[in-house]
Amino acid sequence: MPVFRSIYVSVLLILAISQFSAAQELDYETIFGADWQKAEEFERENRHWMEAMLNQYDIPYYFGVSVIFPELVRYSAIKDKMETTLLKTLYVNLGEEYADFSIGRFQVKPSFASYIRTESSLCLGRRSEVRFSQPYEFDDISNYRKSIVTDLEDPKTQFNYIVAFFMICRKKFRTPAMNEEERLRFLSTAYNYGIDKTKEQILSMMDKKFFSTKMVKSITYCYSDISLYWYRKKTGYPKSHHKLLLIR
């Protein structure tokens, strides 16, 4: 009897902890309000081509979009236009050391794009429809940087970098070996924090609160929590997604 009582108490404790955790989960949809609704509207209106691109590389649609969804929430057309106008010339002429700013709907920085271009050839394969220009193809480095900015200003072209991001992470960090939630948290953190970081550095940032939609940061949130929240909202995970999702 004591053994069964101990098991019974343990089960109740686990259930209580789970219920407490669920109760503590923030309602990001309410917190971000109109910005969240605009992000979901963009996702619905552009799903047809985003899903087609992800399917080509066996990346599950909701999983892939969850990784970048917080950036859709943060996106501001006015802020984006201002940053591009003020900083584009500085970046093109002097490089990312002088201006490294988020561009476009998916908020990609030139340094991120440049890293993707360098590493993608080893991960996408010869038959890949995604291809990026390299510095040696340009007479002047400023024209190479200009090509990066041009890519990032168009959502469909920018999405090529996101596809390449997943493929690079698969090889560099062996993400298919992770369980579903760990992989989602890891990839969303890597996307926001930096794919050029080490695995240990990314893991150390997974629970950190540094995400904000405001130009003047006051309250910050955990980026990977927002990604997981949207993923659960769309898929019902973990109830209906108890098996591992492998990005092959």
Side-chain angles (χ1 to χ4, degrees):
M1 287 297 292
V3 174
F4 289 108
R5 184 180 295 110
S6 177
I7 295 174
Y8 178 72
V9 171
S10 297
V11 170
L12 288 180
L13 181 60
I14 292 173
L15 290 174
I17 293 174
S18 299
Q19 292 175 356
F20 177 78
S21 298
Q24 294 299 305
E25 184 178 66
L26 296 177
D27 181 358
Y28 293 109
E29 185 172 3
T30 299
I31 290 172
F32 296 116
D35 291 332
W36 186 277
Q37 297 305 319
K38 289 178 182 178
E40 291 209 312
E41 181 180 353
F42 176 86
E43 180 270 320
R44 288 192 300 270
E45 293 178 350
N46 294 274
R47 175 171 179 167
H48 60 287
W49 62 264
M50 291 195 296
E51 187 168 23
M53 290 182 68
L54 291 173
N55 284 343
Q56 289 180 34
Y57 296 88
D58 296 320
I59 302 171
Y61 176 73
Y62 283 125
F63 185 93
V65 175
S66 293
V67 169
I68 61 175
F69 190 77
E71 299 295 357
L72 295 179
V73 176
R74 175 156 53 187
Y75 174 79
S76 166
I78 296 177
K79 178 173 178 283
D80 183 67
K81 183 177 181 180
M82 179 186 68
E83 286 187 340
T84 302
T85 301
L86 295 175
L87 300 174
K88 179 170 62 175
T89 301
L90 191 59
Y91 165 70
V92 167
N93 289 294
L94 297 177
E96 61 193 49
E97 295 83 3
Y98 293 87
D100 195 24
F101 54 105
S102 298
I103 304 175
R105 183 67 67 166
F106 305 108
Q107 295 290 276
V108 173
K109 292 183 177 180
S111 60
F112 179 97
S114 181
Y115 183 90
I116 292 290
R117 286 192 177 194
T118 302
E119 300 294 324
S120 62
S121 61
L122 301 175
C123 301
L124 293 176
R126 295 181 179 180
R127 297 182 179 180
S128 173
E129 295 182 9
V130 176
R131 181 188 176 281
F132 303 104
S133 300
Q134 300 301 324
Y136 64 81
E137 299 177 47
F138 297 82
D139 295 332
D140 191 298
I141 190 62
S142 63
N143 289 329
Y144 171 72
R145 295 177 189 139
K146 188 182 296 182
S147 73
I148 288 179
V149 172
T150 300
D151 277 358
L152 300 185
E153 289 178 326
D154 176 72
K156 290 185 179 180
T157 308
Q158 191 180 64
F159 205 73
N160 287 331
Y161 290 86
I162 294 169
V163 169
F165 160 81
F166 281 108
M167 305 310 289
I168 292 170
C169 285
R170 182 183 69 174
K171 184 174 182 178
K172 180 178 180 179
F173 302 115
R174 301 184 183 278
T175 53
M178 303 176 183
N179 66 51
E180 187 174 348
E181 182 171 327
E182 181 185 9
R183 183 164 61 255
L184 177 56
R185 286 186 174 278
F186 181 88
L187 288 171
S188 60
T189 303
Y191 183 76
N192 183 247
Y193 179 49
I195 189 178
D196 58 326
K197 304 297 191 298
T198 66
K199 184 175 182 178
E200 290 69 27
Q201 288 175 313
I202 295 171
L203 287 171
S204 71
M205 294 296 292
M206 279 172 54
D207 296 320
K208 297 291 190 299
K209 296 180 179 181
F210 53 88
F211 176 83
S212 175
T213 58
K214 308 298 182 183
M215 294 188 70
V216 178
K217 296 182 180 180
S218 53
I219 301 176
T220 55
Y221 304 92
C222 177
Y223 188 100
S224 64
D225 280 352
I226 300 171
S227 293
L228 184 61
Y229 176 93
W230 192 79
Y231 184 62
R232 285 172 172 167
K233 180 174 179 287
K234 291 297 180 180
T235 66
Y237 172 84
K239 294 180 181 179
S240 63
H241 283 66
H242 57 282
K243 294 183 180 180
L244 298 185
L245 283 175
L246 295 182
I247 301 176
R248 296 185 292 278

